[in-house]
Amino acid sequence: MNAFAESSDPVVRRKSRVILWGTLIGVMPLVIERAAIDFTEYRPSFWVNTILILSARLYPLSFGYAVVKHRVMEIPVLLRRSARYLLVQRGFIVVLFAVAVSAIAFFTHNVVPLFFSPIQGRE
């Protein structure tokens, strides 16, 4: 938004305008509906929800259009960032899974037998 407001270059303004309007048209109807649900007694019908969900598709489409048509970001840079994000996200899930498996193994082999083992030598 800052680039849109401060730039005198018409190319930068056009690129920013595409992203700005796509974001506003895609997100604002959902924000307004959510506010109406939270602060009033408004309950939307099925068709209103359907239209709002379809309008939300404009948000990622505007970014895709801006990237492909107006070259907002270079596609190789975008692919590298997406791959890095995917690897970091998946790596975090793998680490969480490894910690969970280690905790389960520790508690089932070390802690549980202390509480549930039969007392030796008692008859």
Side-chain angles (χ1 to χ4, degrees):
M1 183 111 159
N2 197 19
F4 179 70
E6 293 180 358
S7 179
S8 62
D9 185 17
V11 174
V12 172
R13 290 180 66 87
R14 185 181 69 234
K15 292 175 183 180
S16 300
R17 193 178 319 123
V18 169
I19 292 174
L20 176 69
W21 283 107
T23 301
L24 288 176
I25 293 171
V27 174
M28 286 309 291
L30 292 171
V31 170
I32 292 169
E33 181 203 27
R34 209 54 236 169
I37 290 171
D38 289 344
F39 299 119
T40 66
E41 297 296 321
Y42 174 71
R43 297 291 168 237
S45 69
F46 170 77
W47 294 110
V48 171
N49 276 336
T50 303
I51 290 169
L52 290 175
I53 290 171
L54 290 176
S55 73
R57 307 270 183 204
L58 292 175
Y59 182 60
L61 287 176
S62 70
F63 274 92
Y65 175 76
V67 167
V68 172
K69 177 75 174 167
H70 297 292
R71 303 250 187 240
V72 171
M73 291 181 66
E74 295 296 324
I75 293 180
V77 171
L78 185 64
L79 291 175
R80 276 195 303 270
R81 286 185 182 175
S82 299
R84 187 180 313 137
Y85 172 75
L86 181 68
L87 290 174
V88 166
Q89 181 186 23
R90 297 296 182 229
F92 184 68
I93 291 171
V94 168
V95 168
L96 283 178
F97 182 73
V99 167
V101 167
S102 300
I104 290 170
F106 174 76
F107 283 110
T108 56
H109 294 300
N110 295 332
V111 176
V112 172
L114 293 175
F115 295 110
F116 297 108
S117 63
I119 298 175
Q120 302 293 329
R122 187 187 286 188
E123 291 186 40

Coordinates of all heavy atoms in Angstrom, one line a residue, residues 16-68:
S16 N 0.6 -2.1 -8.1 CA 0.0 -2.0 -6.7 C -1.5 -1.9 -6.7 O -2.1 -2.5 -5.9 CB 0.6 -0.8 -6.0 OG 2.0 -0.9 -5.9
R17 N -2.0 -1.2 -7.7 CA -3.5 -1.1 -7.8 C -4.1 -2.5 -8.0 O -5.2 -2.7 -7.4 CB -3.8 -0.1 -9.0 CG -5.2 0.3 -9.0 CD -5.6 1.3 -10.1 NE -4.5 2.3 -10.3 CZ -3.9 2.5 -11.4 NH1 -4.2 1.8 -12.5 NH2 -3.0 3.4 -11.5
V18 N -3.5 -3.3 -8.9 CA -4.1 -4.6 -9.1 C -4.2 -5.4 -7.8 O -5.2 -6.0 -7.5 CB -3.3 -5.4 -10.2 CG1 -3.7 -6.9 -10.2 CG2 -3.4 -4.7 -11.5
I19 N -3.1 -5.4 -7.1 CA -3.0 -6.2 -5.8 C -4.0 -5.5 -4.8 O -4.7 -6.3 -4.1 CB -1.6 -6.2 -5.3 CG1 -0.7 -7.1 -6.2 CG2 -1.5 -6.8 -3.8 CD1 0.7 -7.1 -5.9
L20 N -4.0 -4.2 -4.7 CA -4.9 -3.5 -3.7 C -6.3 -3.8 -4.0 O -7.1 -4.2 -3.1 CB -4.6 -2.0 -3.7 CG -5.5 -1.2 -2.9 CD1 -5.2 -1.5 -1.4 CD2 -5.4 0.3 -3.2
W21 N -6.8 -3.7 -5.2 CA -8.2 -3.9 -5.5 C -8.6 -5.4 -5.4 O -9.7 -5.7 -5.0 CB -8.6 -3.3 -6.9 CG -8.7 -1.9 -6.8 CD1 -7.9 -0.9 -7.3 CD2 -9.8 -1.1 -6.2 NE1 -8.3 0.3 -7.0 CE2 -9.5 0.2 -6.3 CE3 -10.9 -1.5 -5.5 CZ2 -10.3 1.2 -5.8 CZ3 -11.7 -0.5 -4.9 CH2 -11.4 0.8 -5.1
G22 N -7.7 -6.3 -5.8 CA -7.9 -7.7 -5.6 C -8.1 -8.1 -4.2 O -9.0 -8.9 -3.8
T23 N -7.3 -7.5 -3.3 CA -7.3 -7.7 -1.9 C -8.6 -7.2 -1.3 O -9.3 -7.8 -0.5 CB -6.1 -7.1 -1.2 OG1 -4.9 -7.7 -1.7 CG2 -6.2 -7.4 0.3
L24 N -9.0 -5.9 -1.7 CA -10.2 -5.3 -1.1 C -11.4 -6.0 -1.6 O -12.3 -6.3 -0.8 CB -10.2 -3.8 -1.6 CG -9.2 -2.9 -0.9 CD1 -9.4 -1.5 -1.4 CD2 -9.5 -2.9 0.6
I25 N -11.5 -6.4 -2.9 CA -12.7 -7.1 -3.4 C -12.8 -8.5 -2.8 O -13.9 -9.0 -2.6 CB -12.7 -7.0 -4.9 CG1 -12.9 -5.6 -5.4 CG2 -13.8 -7.9 -5.5 CD1 -12.8 -5.4 -6.9
G26 N -11.6 -9.1 -2.6 CA -11.7 -10.5 -2.2 C -11.9 -10.7 -0.7 O -12.5 -11.6 -0.2
V27 N -11.4 -9.7 0.1 CA -11.4 -9.9 1.6 C -12.5 -9.1 2.3 O -13.1 -9.5 3.2 CB -10.0 -9.6 2.1 CG1 -10.0 -9.6 3.6 CG2 -8.9 -10.5 1.6
M28 N -12.7 -7.9 1.8 CA -13.6 -7.0 2.5 C -15.0 -7.5 2.6 O -15.6 -7.3 3.7 CB -13.6 -5.6 1.9 CG -12.4 -4.8 2.2 SD -11.9 -4.7 4.0 CE -13.3 -3.7 4.6
P29 N -15.6 -8.1 1.6 CA -17.0 -8.7 1.8 C -17.0 -9.7 3.0 O -18.0 -9.7 3.8 CB -17.3 -9.3 0.5 CG -16.5 -8.6 -0.5 CD -15.2 -8.3 0.2
L30 N -16.0 -10.5 3.1 CA -16.0 -11.5 4.2 C -15.8 -10.8 5.6 O -16.4 -11.2 6.6 CB -14.9 -12.5 4.0 CG -15.0 -13.4 2.8 CD1 -13.8 -14.2 2.6 CD2 -16.2 -14.4 3.1
V31 N -15.0 -9.7 5.6 CA -14.8 -9.0 6.8 C -16.1 -8.3 7.3 O -16.5 -8.3 8.4 CB -13.7 -8.0 6.7 CG1 -13.6 -7.0 7.8 CG2 -12.3 -8.7 6.5
I32 N -16.8 -7.7 6.3 CA -18.1 -7.0 6.6 C -19.1 -8.0 7.1 O -19.8 -7.8 8.0 CB -18.5 -6.2 5.4 CG1 -17.6 -5.1 5.1 CG2 -20.0 -5.8 5.5 CD1 -17.8 -4.4 3.8
E33 N -19.2 -9.2 6.4 CA -20.1 -10.2 6.8 C -19.8 -10.7 8.2 O -20.7 -10.9 9.1 CB -20.1 -11.4 5.8 CG -21.2 -12.4 6.3 CD -20.9 -13.8 5.7 OE1 -19.7 -14.1 5.5 OE2 -21.8 -14.6 5.6
R34 N -18.6 -10.9 8.5 CA -18.2 -11.4 9.8 C -18.5 -10.4 10.9 O -19.0 -10.8 12.0 CB -16.6 -11.7 9.8 CG -16.1 -12.7 10.7 CD -16.8 -14.0 10.5 NE -17.3 -14.4 11.8 CZ -18.1 -15.4 12.1 NH1 -18.6 -16.1 11.1 NH2 -18.5 -15.6 13.3
A35 N -18.2 -9.1 10.6 CA -18.6 -8.1 11.6 C -20.1 -8.0 11.8 O -20.6 -7.8 12.9 CB -18.1 -6.7 11.1
A36 N -20.9 -8.2 10.7 CA -22.3 -8.1 10.8 C -22.8 -9.3 11.7 O -23.7 -9.2 12.5 CB -23.0 -8.2 9.5
I37 N -22.2 -10.5 11.5 CA -22.6 -11.7 12.3 C -22.2 -11.5 13.8 O -23.0 -11.8 14.6 CB -21.9 -12.9 11.7 CG1 -22.5 -13.3 10.4 CG2 -22.1 -14.1 12.7 CD1 -21.8 -14.4 9.6
D38 N -21.1 -10.9 14.0 CA -20.6 -10.8 15.4 C -21.3 -9.7 16.2 O -21.5 -9.8 17.4 CB -19.1 -10.5 15.4 CG -18.3 -11.8 15.0 OD1 -18.9 -12.9 15.0 OD2 -17.1 -11.6 14.7
F39 N -21.6 -8.6 15.5 CA -22.1 -7.4 16.2 C -23.6 -7.2 16.0 O -24.2 -6.3 16.7 CB -21.4 -6.2 15.8 CG -19.9 -6.3 16.1 CD1 -19.0 -6.2 15.1 CD2 -19.5 -6.5 17.4 CE1 -17.6 -6.3 15.4 CE2 -18.1 -6.6 17.7 CZ -17.2 -6.5 16.7
T40 N -24.3 -7.9 15.2 CA -25.7 -7.8 15.0 C -26.4 -9.2 15.0 O -25.7 -10.2 15.2 CB -26.1 -7.1 13.7 OG1 -25.7 -7.9 12.6 CG2 -25.4 -5.7 13.6
E41 N -27.6 -9.2 14.7 CA -28.3 -10.5 14.7 C -28.4 -11.1 13.3 O -29.2 -12.0 13.0 CB -29.8 -10.3 15.2 CG -29.8 -9.9 16.7 CD -29.3 -10.9 17.6 OE1 -29.5 -12.1 17.4 OE2 -28.6 -10.6 18.6
Y42 N -27.6 -10.6 12.4 CA -27.6 -11.0 11.0 C -27.1 -12.4 10.9 O -26.1 -12.8 11.4 CB -26.7 -10.1 10.2 CG -26.5 -10.5 8.7 CD1 -27.5 -10.4 7.8 CD2 -25.3 -11.0 8.3 CE1 -27.4 -10.8 6.5 CE2 -25.1 -11.4 7.0 CZ -26.2 -11.3 6.1 OH -26.0 -11.6 4.8
R43 N -27.9 -13.2 10.1 CA -27.5 -14.6 9.8 C -27.6 -14.7 8.3 O -28.7 -14.7 7.7 CB -28.4 -15.6 10.5 CG -28.3 -15.6 12.0 CD -27.0 -16.1 12.4 NE -26.8 -15.8 13.8 CZ -25.8 -15.1 14.3 NH1 -24.9 -14.6 13.5 NH2 -25.7 -14.9 15.6
P44 N -26.5 -14.9 7.6 CA -26.6 -14.9 6.1 C -27.2 -16.2 5.6 O -27.1 -17.3 6.2 CB -25.1 -14.9 5.7 CG -24.4 -15.4 6.9 CD -25.2 -15.1 8.1
S45 N -27.8 -16.1 4.4 CA -28.4 -17.3 3.8 C -27.3 -18.1 3.1 O -26.1 -17.6 3.0 CB -29.4 -16.9 2.8 OG -28.8 -16.2 1.7
F46 N -27.6 -19.2 2.6 CA -26.7 -20.1 1.9 C -26.1 -19.4 0.7 O -24.9 -19.4 0.4 CB -27.4 -21.4 1.5 CG -26.6 -22.2 0.5 CD1 -25.5 -23.0 1.0 CD2 -26.8 -22.2 -0.8 CE1 -24.8 -23.7 0.1 CE2 -26.1 -23.0 -1.7 CZ -25.0 -23.7 -1.2
W47 N -26.9 -18.6 -0.1 CA -26.5 -18.0 -1.3 C -25.6 -16.8 -1.0 O -24.6 -16.6 -1.8 CB -27.7 -17.6 -2.2 CG -28.4 -18.8 -2.7 CD1 -29.6 -19.2 -2.3 CD2 -27.9 -19.8 -3.6 NE1 -30.0 -20.4 -2.9 CE2 -28.9 -20.7 -3.7 CE3 -26.8 -19.9 -4.3 CZ2 -28.8 -21.8 -4.6 CZ3 -26.6 -21.0 -5.1 CH2 -27.6 -21.9 -5.3
V48 N -25.8 -16.1 0.0 CA -24.9 -15.0 0.4 C -23.5 -15.6 0.8 O -22.5 -15.1 0.3 CB -25.5 -14.2 1.6 CG1 -24.5 -13.2 2.1 CG2 -26.8 -13.5 1.2
N49 N -23.5 -16.7 1.5 CA -22.2 -17.3 1.8 C -21.5 -17.8 0.6 O -20.3 -17.7 0.5 CB -22.4 -18.4 2.8 CG -22.5 -18.0 4.3 OD1 -21.9 -16.9 4.6 ND2 -23.1 -18.7 5.1
T50 N -22.3 -18.4 -0.3 CA -21.7 -18.9 -1.6 C -21.1 -17.8 -2.4 O -19.9 -17.9 -2.9 CB -22.8 -19.6 -2.4 OG1 -23.3 -20.6 -1.6 CG2 -22.2 -20.2 -3.7
I51 N -21.8 -16.7 -2.5 CA -21.2 -15.5 -3.3 C -20.0 -15.0 -2.6 O -19.0 -14.6 -3.2 CB -22.3 -14.5 -3.4 CG1 -23.4 -15.0 -4.4 CG2 -21.7 -13.1 -3.9 CD1 -24.6 -14.1 -4.5
L52 N -20.0 -14.9 -1.3 CA -18.9 -14.3 -0.5 C -17.6 -15.3 -0.7 O -16.5 -14.8 -0.8 CB -19.2 -14.1 0.9 CG -20.2 -13.0 1.2 CD1 -20.5 -12.9 2.7 CD2 -19.6 -11.7 0.7
I53 N -17.9 -16.5 -0.6 CA -16.7 -17.5 -0.8 C -16.2 -17.4 -2.2 O -15.0 -17.4 -2.4 CB -17.2 -18.9 -0.4 CG1 -17.4 -19.0 1.1 CG2 -16.2 -19.9 -0.9 CD1 -18.0 -20.3 1.6
L54 N -17.1 -17.3 -3.2 CA -16.6 -17.1 -4.6 C -15.8 -15.8 -4.7 O -14.9 -15.7 -5.5 CB -17.8 -17.2 -5.5 CG -18.4 -18.6 -5.7 CD1 -19.6 -18.6 -6.6 CD2 -17.4 -19.6 -6.2
S55 N -16.3 -14.7 -4.1 CA -15.6 -13.5 -4.2 C -14.2 -13.5 -3.5 O -13.3 -12.8 -3.9 CB -16.4 -12.3 -3.6 OG -16.4 -12.4 -2.2
A56 N -14.1 -14.4 -2.5 CA -12.8 -14.6 -1.8 C -11.7 -15.2 -2.8 O -10.5 -15.0 -2.5 CB -12.9 -15.4 -0.6
R57 N -12.2 -15.8 -3.8 CA -11.2 -16.4 -4.8 C -10.5 -15.3 -5.5 O -9.5 -15.6 -6.1 CB -12.0 -17.3 -5.8 CG -12.8 -18.3 -5.2 CD -12.1 -19.6 -5.0 NE -13.0 -20.6 -4.4 CZ -12.6 -21.6 -3.8 NH1 -11.4 -21.8 -3.5 NH2 -13.5 -22.5 -3.3
L58 N -11.0 -14.1 -5.5 CA -10.4 -13.0 -6.2 C -9.1 -12.6 -5.6 O -8.2 -12.1 -6.2 CB -11.3 -11.8 -6.3 CG -12.5 -12.0 -7.2 CD1 -13.4 -10.7 -7.1 CD2 -12.1 -12.2 -8.6
Y59 N -8.9 -12.9 -4.3 CA -7.7 -12.5 -3.6 C -6.5 -13.2 -4.1 O -5.5 -12.6 -4.6 CB -7.9 -12.7 -2.1 CG -6.8 -12.4 -1.2 CD1 -6.3 -11.1 -1.2 CD2 -6.2 -13.3 -0.4 CE1 -5.2 -10.7 -0.4 CE2 -5.1 -13.0 0.4 CZ -4.7 -11.7 0.4 OH -3.6 -11.4 1.2
P60 N -6.4 -14.5 -4.1 CA -5.3 -15.2 -4.7 C -5.2 -15.0 -6.2 O -4.1 -14.9 -6.8 CB -5.4 -16.7 -4.3 CG -6.8 -16.8 -4.0 CD -7.3 -15.5 -3.6
L61 N -6.3 -14.9 -6.9 CA -6.3 -14.7 -8.4 C -5.6 -13.3 -8.7 O -4.9 -13.2 -9.7 CB -7.7 -14.8 -9.0 CG -8.3 -16.2 -9.0 CD1 -9.7 -16.1 -9.5 CD2 -7.4 -17.1 -9.9
S62 N -5.9 -12.3 -7.9 CA -5.3 -11.0 -8.2 C -3.8 -11.1 -8.0 O -3.0 -10.4 -8.8 CB -5.9 -9.9 -7.3 OG -5.5 -10.1 -6.0
F63 N -3.3 -11.8 -7.0 CA -1.9 -11.9 -6.9 C -1.3 -12.7 -8.0 O -0.2 -12.4 -8.6 CB -1.6 -12.7 -5.5 CG -1.5 -11.7 -4.4 CD1 -2.6 -11.5 -3.6 CD2 -0.3 -11.1 -4.1 CE1 -2.5 -10.6 -2.6 CE2 -0.2 -10.2 -3.0 CZ -1.3 -10.0 -2.3
G64 N -1.9 -13.8 -8.4 CA -1.4 -14.6 -9.6 C -1.4 -13.7 -10.8 O -0.5 -13.8 -11.6
Y65 N -2.5 -13.0 -11.1 CA -2.5 -12.1 -12.2 C -1.4 -11.0 -12.2 O -0.8 -10.8 -13.2 CB -3.9 -11.4 -12.3 CG -4.0 -10.4 -13.4 CD1 -4.2 -10.8 -14.7 CD2 -4.0 -9.0 -13.1 CE1 -4.3 -9.8 -15.7 CE2 -4.1 -8.1 -14.1 CZ -4.3 -8.5 -15.4 OH -4.4 -7.6 -16.4
A66 N -1.2 -10.5 -11.0 CA -0.2 -9.4 -10.9 C 1.2 -10.0 -11.1 O 2.1 -9.4 -11.7 CB -0.2 -8.8 -9.5
V67 N 1.4 -11.2 -10.6 CA 2.8 -11.9 -10.8 C 3.0 -12.2 -12.3 O 4.0 -12.0 -12.8 CB 2.9 -13.1 -9.9 CG1 4.1 -14.0 -10.3 CG2 3.0 -12.7 -8.5
V68 N 2.0 -12.8 -12.9 CA 2.2 -13.3 -14.3 C 2.1 -12.1 -15.3 O 3.0 -12.0 -16.1 CB 1.1 -14.4 -14.6 CG1 1.2 -14.7 -16.1 CG2 1.4 -15.6 -13.8

